[in-house]
Amino acid sequence: MAAVGPSGIGKSSLIRAGVVPALKTSGEKWDSLVVRPGRDPMTALAGLLAPLVGSSPTPVDDLGAQKELAKRLLTEPGYLGSALRSISRKSGQRILLFIDQFEELYTLGTDPADRRAFTAALAGAADDATSPVRVVLSIRSDFLGRAAAGSALHE
């Protein structure tokens, strides 16, 4: 699902202050994960996922694990969905993955290969309606056409 609208209209606030609290009070167990693509979207995803899938004893090990995880997500985009579904099963909670300011993939000079891998990873996490994982993104309406063109998320 995408929250689409002009800059400053409150897309992020709608998700953070509306959707997330509504899910948490819905009677079902939900965990929400929030990430912004930034200049290196695969590292951003890895930074979000690394503490959930690993147990490195030191921050230096965490950095190394995060870099390895970013490489894995780049070459194995389906891993994101698989890992999130596994985390959901273990915790007994459904997961909402919120990609805030998705347009950063286009405004911050992201490498096209990284952009494709990032959207493929998100599509893999959102590809099963029966899954306990939901992906929501916010995007400025003036970037909707660029996001749809050639993106795994279009389908």
Side-chain angles (χ1 to χ4, degrees):
M1 183 177 89
V4 181
S7 180
I9 198 166
K11 300 173 296 294
S12 297
S13 296
L14 171 70
I15 304 304
R16 290 177 187 255
V19 173
V20 170
L23 289 175
K24 292 193 183 248
T25 60
S26 69
E28 295 182 355
K29 294 180 181 179
W30 280 90
D31 190 14
S32 60
L33 306 172
V34 180
V35 66
R36 287 178 59 173
R39 292 192 184 281
D40 187 350
M42 300 314 284
T43 298
L45 274 182
L48 178 78
L49 196 56
L52 302 173
V53 297
S55 57
S56 297
T58 67
V60 172
D61 290 342
D62 286 343
L63 267 177
Q66 184 175 331
K67 286 181 181 183
E68 287 302 313
L69 188 52
K71 287 179 189 176
R72 183 172 186 182
L73 289 167
L74 189 60
T75 59
E76 252 183 273
Y79 179 70
L80 176 66
S82 174
L84 290 176
R85 286 185 285 275
S86 176
I87 291 163
S88 174
R89 280 191 301 276
K90 289 177 185 173
S91 70
Q93 294 183 314
R94 299 180 70 151
I95 295 175
L96 174 73
L97 174 60
F98 174 39
I99 312 303
D100 196 8
Q101 299 193 26
F102 188 79
E103 68 273 2
E104 287 183 350
L105 289 176
Y106 306 93
T107 61
L108 298 179
T110 302
D111 179 74
D114 285 348
R115 186 181 308 133
R116 284 188 298 275
F118 185 79
T119 57
L122 296 181
D127 67 352
D128 182 358
T130 64
S131 169
V133 177
R134 296 291 178 263
V135 178
V136 175
L137 55 92
S138 67
I139 183 170
R140 287 183 4 214
S141 53
D142 51 327
F143 284 90
L144 192 56
R146 287 168 70 182
S151 168
L153 293 175
H154 178 70
E155 295 174 14

